[in-house]
Structure formats: structure tokens, C-alpha cells
Amino acid sequence: MPDDFSEKQVGKRVVSQTGEEIGTVSDVRGGDLHVTVEGDVDPDVLDELAWDGTVEQDTHHLPGRYVANVDEDTIRLRV
């Protein structure tokens, strides 16, 4: 997956490999995705993303290496 994302990704849903909704892309800075986490997310997924198991902030940096694919409205993760 490209590590250089654009504003086209803002608003897309971010889902885990199993389809669990993680959140929404809220910003793209310097080609990197930033995700606003929504609801209760599996702590194991948060650990794999190095988001400390519990969400203590609203928005998290999502390195491109975790992105498996991008389609019209969804970004699917490898975790």
C-alpha cells in the first residue's frame, strides 16, 4: 500500500482485517493517515496498532504499513 495518502481518504471508514470498525480517517498530514477512533475497539487490535490498548486520545496516527487495501469508502487494515 502506498505510504503517501491524500485528502481523498478523509472520511473513509477504517476497519480491521475481520471487518470490525475502528474509526474514520479525520486528517491526512504529510501523506500520513490520522484516524478518529469510534466506540469500543478490540484491545488486541489497538495493541497491534501500538495505540496502547486503550484510547486515551481522539485521533491516532496510522502508519501505511498497517493498510492492506483502500477502496471507494473503506480502508482495510492488516490487523
Side-chain angles (χ1 to χ4, degrees):
M1 249 4 288
D3 289 330
D4 191 24
F5 297 99
S6 72
E7 292 295 320
K8 293 188 310 186
Q9 278 72 45
V10 172
K12 290 187 180 187
R13 294 180 326 119
V14 178
V15 298
S16 70
Q17 187 177 37
T18 62
E20 176 186 7
E21 184 142 357
I22 304 299
T24 305
V25 176
S26 57
D27 196 9
V28 178
R29 290 181 242 148
D32 293 330
L33 298 173
H34 293 268
V35 176
T36 299
V37 177
E38 299 170 2
D40 295 327
V41 179
D42 182 345
D44 292 336
V45 172
L46 295 176
D47 284 342
E48 287 189 54
L49 293 170
W51 290 351
D52 298 323
T54 59
V55 178
E56 296 177 8
Q57 60 190 35
D58 291 337
T59 304
H60 294 271
H61 174 250
L62 178 63
R65 70 179 177 271
Y66 292 115
V67 176
N69 71 351
V70 177
D71 65 26
E72 189 172 313
D73 62 350
T74 305
I75 293 175
R76 185 167 300 273
L77 304 180
R78 296 180 190 282
V79 297

